[in-house]
Amino acid sequence: MLENIFKLKDNNTTVRTELFAGLITFLTMSYILVVNPNILGEAGMDRAAVFTATVLGSIIATLFMAFFTNLPVAQAPGMGLNNFFAFTVVLTMGYTWQFALTAVFIEGIIFILLTFFNVRELIVKSIPRVLKEAIPVGVGLFITLVGLKSAGVVVANDATLVSLGDMANPHVWIALAGVVITGALLALNVNGAILIGIVAATIGGIFAGVVHFPEGNWVSLPPSLSPTFAQFEWDKVLSFDMALVVFTFLFVNLFDTVGTLIGVVSKAGLTDSEGNFPQIKKALFADALGTTIGSVLGTSPITAYVESSSGVAAGGRTGLTSVSTAFMFVLALFFAPLFLIVPASATSPALIVVGLFMISAVAKINFEDITESLPAFITLIFMPFTYSIAQGIVFGILTYFFVKILSGRYKDVSTVIYVLAVLFIIKLGLDAAHIWEKM
């Protein structure tokens, strides 16, 4: 039955490999179980209800991805989008969290319509090939930075922006040891090397005193959804601010999803020579449906997770990997304390190693042609340096557009890129105007 649904033999994988891959994906993204309720709680939402909404939204959206697309891509509330929800819309603009949830719901409906009429698919297919080659590299650098940051290996610095973390911090040593152990296991071709590395790092964390076992029950019923379920606010739906918030959610969510899908699917070897893959429309539908249902449950926009790359690196190739991840989220509803004892420093080595795997795509970039290499370079460096996959794609496309036009190679620029460039310039102009208003 599983073979008929997920085409395991066609994808040169096994049930065991897919299940392990899904577990690894879950472990590397399970931080969202803690982070999302805390961030949305700052906006005044009930943290316990947001926890349940986060888990249920992730389960439903990931299962959509599994059965609609047969891709090893998990979904959950997006980091960055939840920050915009809480700290910009609610705490800065002064709107209620119900207003923000309404914006997310409207965004999801618009996404469904854009996907139905092939607008999002057209955008993905129109992204220049060289940028599709750069996106996995940028995603690799981005998730490496995420891993280093979550373990405290890299920290913020007022003078230099970033610097080496506190070497007296046991989390730093746990992460570095995890990288070495995982690397050695991979060199020895040990099956499940990434998972073993996570377990080994967690055991090290126990001895280092940074793994804290729960004092209460390990098993409990999930909190009620009622404080957040379908809590929409329609009286300001036609306001300019609502339009601005919806547009921002659309903008960031679209290009975060596009970048993640291209990065993860290309790493799985499922794209063609142009960087496209046949399931793109279904994948975008799964994303749009996830966001819409997530807003009803009571959480910020749901998107494809870049941490899915860790499962792909462990051999995940089909939607069965996503089913496995969704099952882990189901267990997390009742066994959250068990999963949450794994520290970020134990999962960060998986992200760092996957970052290594993904930057190999840099060899495909044509560095002899500056009109190709410069946009690619801007794309891949902007992702980690702006801490945003979406911004990497935006500035990469803008660089491609202007360099091609100004060098007289306007025939290389498609109509869709012209339209996107105009929209990006308008978006950046609105952002700049908003900044000036604050000054």
Side-chain angles (χ1 to χ4, degrees):
M1 181 178 177
L2 291 177
E3 172 61 36
N4 293 333
I5 296 173
F6 298 110
K7 312 297 181 185
L8 301 178
K9 290 181 181 178
D10 291 347
N11 288 281
N12 193 30
T13 186
T14 65
V15 172
R16 181 177 180 276
T17 298
E18 297 289 299
L19 296 181
F20 267 112
L23 172 60
I24 290 169
T25 295
F26 171 79
L27 289 174
T28 56
M29 65 184 289
S30 60
Y31 63 85
I32 198 63
L33 297 176
V34 177
V35 174
N36 201 53
N38 286 342
I39 290 176
L40 298 190
E42 294 294 324
M45 299 183 71
D46 184 280
R47 283 179 167 84
V50 172
F51 169 82
T52 303
T54 298
V55 178
L56 290 178
S58 302
I59 293 168
I60 294 169
T62 300
L63 289 177
F64 281 153
M65 190 67 74
F67 291 106
F68 284 3
T69 73
N70 196 26
L71 291 174
V73 178
Q75 300 198 94
M79 291 297 295
L81 290 163
N82 50 13
N83 277 276
F84 177 75
F85 182 109
F87 299 113
T88 300
V89 179
V90 178
L91 297 180
T92 300
M93 298 177 71
Y95 286 107
T96 63
W97 59 263
Q98 290 90 341
F99 173 95
L101 271 185
T102 307
V104 175
F105 178 77
I106 294 171
E107 177 223 349
I109 297 299
I110 294 174
F111 261 173
I112 291 174
L113 294 174
L114 291 177
T115 306
F116 181 79
F117 290 107
N118 296 323
V119 175
R120 296 175 77 191
E121 184 180 6
L122 179 63
I123 291 173
V124 175
K125 290 185 176 180
S126 298
I127 294 176
R129 178 180 174 182
V130 66
L131 297 188
K132 288 178 179 175
E133 293 167 344
I135 286 171
V137 182
V139 170
L141 294 174
F142 176 78
I143 64 174
T144 299
L145 179 59
V146 171
L148 293 171
K149 175 178 176 290
S150 64
V153 178
V154 170
V155 297
N157 185 297
D158 292 338
T160 61
L161 295 183
V162 294
S163 62
L164 182 66
D166 181 7
M167 297 305 292
N169 182 351
H171 286 289
V172 172
W173 290 103
I174 290 169
L176 295 177
V179 170
V180 173
I181 292 170
T182 303
L185 292 171
L186 288 168
L188 294 171
N189 295 316
V190 175
N191 292 328
I194 294 178
L195 177 59
I196 295 172
I198 292 173
V199 172
T202 302
I203 294 173
I206 294 174
F207 287 104
V210 299
V211 172
H212 304 291
F213 294 96
E215 296 179 0
N217 294 328
W218 287 65
V219 183
S220 62
L221 292 174
S224 171
L225 270 178
S226 58
T228 61
F229 186 81
Q231 296 294 314
F232 298 129
E233 185 177 282
W234 300 108
D235 58 323
K236 298 182 180 66
V237 71
L238 298 179
S239 67
F240 174 77
D241 279 349
M242 176 63 82
L244 182 61
V245 171
V246 169
F247 178 73
T248 302
F249 276 137
L250 275 168
F251 178 86
V252 177
N253 200 359
L254 169 60
F255 290 101
D256 263 350
T257 300
V258 168
T260 297
L261 286 173
I262 292 174
V264 174
V265 177
S266 65
K267 180 60 188 173
L270 302 175
T271 56
D272 60 24
S273 60
E274 297 298 319
N276 298 315
F277 53 100
Q279 307 99 316
I280 180 62
K281 183 174 182 177
K282 293 179 179 179
L284 294 173
F285 253 127
D287 169 72
L289 289 171
T291 289
T292 306
I293 292 174
S295 68
V296 176
L297 295 172
T299 187
S300 50
I302 289 176
T303 186
Y305 253 59
V306 70
E307 285 82 359
S308 302
S309 302
S310 61
V312 169
R317 292 295 180 272
T318 75
L320 185 55
T321 293
S322 301
V323 172
S324 174
T325 302
F327 179 71
M328 291 298 109
F329 273 110
V330 172
L331 293 181
L333 266 178
F334 304 96
F335 295 89
L338 173 63
F339 290 104
L340 296 179
I341 68 169
V342 180
S345 52
T347 58
S348 61
L351 299 180
I352 295 167
V353 170
V354 170
L356 165 66
F357 294 159
M358 297 192 74
I359 65 169
S360 61
V362 74
K364 299 178 182 178
I365 298 171
N366 178 15
F367 287 100
E368 300 300 319
D369 183 349
I370 192 69
T371 68
E372 298 277 307
S373 60
L374 181 60
F377 182 65
I378 293 297
T379 299
L380 66 91
I381 64 169
F382 264 58
M383 288 186 184
F385 290 161
T386 65
Y387 213 72
S388 169
I389 293 172
Q391 297 299 349
I393 295 175
V394 168
F395 283 94
I397 288 178
L398 284 174
T399 304
Y400 181 89
F401 174 78
F402 284 114
V403 171
K404 290 288 187 180
I405 295 296
L406 295 175
S407 63
R409 297 173 60 174
Y410 51 87
K411 291 184 180 180
D412 292 347
V413 183
S414 67
T415 302
V416 174
I417 295 299
Y418 275 98
V419 174
L420 287 177
V422 171
L423 291 176
F424 292 163
I425 292 169
I426 291 173
K427 173 64 170 60
L428 294 174
L430 290 173
D431 289 345
H434 185 64
I435 291 172
W436 278 105
E437 285 179 2
K438 291 183 178 181
M439 297 178 65

